[in-house]
Amino acid sequence: MQWQFDAQTPIYAQLVEQFTCRVLSGEYPPGSRAPAVRELAQEAQVNPNTMQRAFTELERQGLVFTQRTSGRFITEDTALLGQLRQQKAAEALREFLEKMRQLGMQREEILALLQQQKGEEHHGDDSAM
């Protein structure tokens, strides 16, 4: 996954958001060692101080923790990870529904669209077999 930034939100906050998504998607599994700040800063093409600020926030949120001589690690707190996943899913759903309403779609139309998409994905799975 490529790091992407917009001009409306501070870079460190976007780093926190994107790193969180990487953890929730399993790219950085629970209990695994987090990449070094300098390594991630270089990958994201940001200042190491900005990445450090993001990691400070991630630690404050409990998503990562530091072992003094070993580096940073991803939390193994499955309850926290589940809660974060639910929060992110709810945010994405609210954004989706707002965009659909901006298009003038009503609840029934949105539900029908979702059902149609679900059917298309299901048929796509069958063709792979």
Side-chain angles (χ1 to χ4, degrees):
M1 184 190 317
Q2 193 123 18
W3 297 92
Q4 297 179 350
F5 304 105
D6 64 55
Q8 281 70 38
T9 308
I11 298 292
Y12 88 92
Q14 293 178 67
L15 291 167
V16 168
E17 178 70 22
Q18 291 180 42
F19 190 87
T20 300
C21 288
R22 289 175 180 211
V23 169
L24 296 176
S25 73
E27 184 175 337
Y28 301 131
S32 67
R33 186 174 184 172
V37 167
R38 288 194 181 281
E39 177 186 332
L40 280 176
Q42 185 175 13
E43 179 186 313
Q45 299 180 348
V46 298
N47 186 299
N49 292 332
T50 304
M51 187 62 75
Q52 179 60 47
R53 183 174 180 191
F55 266 96
T56 299
E57 178 60 21
L58 289 163
E59 284 193 52
R60 189 190 68 73
Q61 293 176 8
L63 196 60
V64 298
F65 62 94
T66 301
Q67 288 186 343
R68 285 181 50 172
T69 58
S70 303
R72 286 191 175 93
F73 293 84
I74 309 304
T75 186
E76 294 181 82
D77 183 345
T78 55
L80 173 64
L81 294 172
Q83 179 184 8
L84 283 172
R85 186 173 284 114
Q86 289 296 316
Q87 285 175 346
K88 297 296 178 195
E91 287 172 18
L93 185 56
R94 279 191 298 273
E95 290 172 14
F96 168 76
L97 291 172
E98 180 58 31
K99 287 180 182 179
M100 295 301 104
R101 287 186 191 107
Q102 289 173 2
L103 292 173
M105 295 186 80
Q106 300 299 313
R107 183 176 190 266
E108 295 76 23
E109 293 173 296
I110 296 168
L111 289 171
L113 180 65
L114 290 171
Q115 287 295 337
Q116 177 185 349
Q117 184 65 34
K118 180 181 176 186
E120 289 174 11
E121 287 181 8
H122 179 71
H123 291 304
D125 291 344
D126 291 343
S127 64
M129 290 182 166

